[in-house]
Amino acid sequence: DAALEVAQREDAWLGGLYVVRQDEDKNKIDRLRQEFENRCKVAGVSGSLAVAEGNIARVVASRSSFTDLVVLKLSYAPPPGLLPRLRSGLRMIIRRCECPILAIPDTTCCMDRILLSFNNSPRAREALYLTAYLARRWNAQVTVLTVLEAGEANRDTQQEAKDYLEGHDIQAHYILQESGNVARAILAHAAERNIDLIVMGSYGSRPLIEVLAGAN
């Protein structure tokens, strides 16, 4: 549903991907392809469904270079424990994907209220550019959140985001939090402001450092 909404707004082609087991029932695949094509037709979107074998995370990451956006359901967060987290399929997709990822929880919404988590890192700047595009293209409301962390953000950090957005005639609400856990701050402010879409950069450190430091 979320992918169809994005495709409608962007007048984009939608490619579906179904990763199968070797013994997958062919009739099930045919029914799935027909359902995909029917839903695209009803939504007025051009698209087709591809079927591939292999590890889901590796297949998704390998095909990301051929698309502008990967849309997936956020079914499983990285599990606790050092090795399980390093082997997490979601972590692999985030690290290896060559385009932005739209991760969807159990429900979808209109995606008209955006929360940008900004800390002045290179990936956060990419998130800033995407947020500016969505604000102009989708007429979305923007909130910029900066949580001050040692070595990553200071009081001048948010000014860069403000200068960029205002330079593109985009008005936003700005929140500067002095300290605290970034993930909890993002979720708290997203709930408080009834946010539809959180935009943020991906991992910035080496995988082992992230896991040992508790990055999610």
Side-chain angles (χ1 to χ4, degrees):
D1 291 337
L4 283 172
E5 180 177 346
V6 173
Q8 288 174 322
R9 294 191 185 206
E10 295 294 314
D11 191 23
W13 176 86
L14 178 61
L17 174 63
Y18 182 57
V19 182
V20 302
R21 303 185 305 270
Q22 290 184 346
D23 59 347
E24 195 85 34
D25 180 15
K26 186 177 183 299
N27 291 329
K28 176 184 177 181
I29 296 174
D30 291 339
R31 291 194 299 270
L32 188 64
R33 179 176 281 111
Q34 186 62 48
E35 174 69 14
F36 182 89
E37 292 175 354
N38 287 342
R39 294 179 72 173
C40 285
K41 184 177 181 180
V42 170
V45 171
S46 298
S48 63
L49 180 70
V51 178
E53 293 184 6
N55 176 275
I56 294 175
R58 289 191 176 94
V59 173
V60 171
S62 68
R63 290 173 177 250
S64 65
S65 59
F66 303 106
T67 188
D68 302 308
L69 178 71
V70 167
V71 182
L72 53 83
K73 182 179 178 182
L74 188 58
S75 300
Y76 305 103
L82 179 60
L83 289 179
R85 291 177 70 183
L86 282 172
R87 294 171 180 169
S88 165
L90 177 60
R91 181 180 291 274
M92 178 186 293
I93 291 174
I94 293 174
R95 277 209 153 271
R96 297 187 180 182
C97 209
E98 298 188 25
C99 65
I101 300 169
L102 177 58
I104 305 295
D106 292 333
T107 59
T108 60
C109 55
C110 57
M111 295 186 285
D112 289 329
R113 294 177 295 275
I114 297 174
L115 175 66
L116 167 65
S117 176
F118 187 75
N119 68 350
N120 201 29
S121 68
R123 296 294 177 86
R125 291 193 192 97
E126 292 180 13
L128 170 64
Y129 306 150
L130 176 58
T131 299
Y133 173 84
L134 296 176
R136 294 294 298 272
R137 177 82 174 184
W138 295 5
N139 195 31
Q141 301 174 13
V142 176
T143 297
V144 180
L145 170 66
T146 298
V147 180
L148 301 183
E149 288 189 304
E152 290 191 4
N154 56 53
R155 291 183 173 276
D156 296 328
T157 294
Q158 202 172 74
Q159 189 62 43
E160 178 180 342
K162 186 174 183 179
D163 291 343
Y164 183 84
L165 293 176
E166 291 184 348
H168 289 78
D169 297 322
I170 298 170
Q171 299 300 314
H173 178 75
Y174 296 89
I175 302 173
L176 184 65
Q177 185 168 312
E178 294 290 343
S179 61
N181 180 277
V182 177
R184 293 192 184 97
I186 290 173
L187 294 176
H189 289 291
E192 179 182 335
R193 302 189 66 83
N194 198 24
I195 293 296
D196 302 319
L197 178 65
I198 297 171
V199 182
M200 60 190 300
S202 61
Y203 301 114
S205 305
R206 295 179 180 178
L208 183 59
I209 295 175
E210 289 163 0
V211 173
L212 292 175
N216 294 307

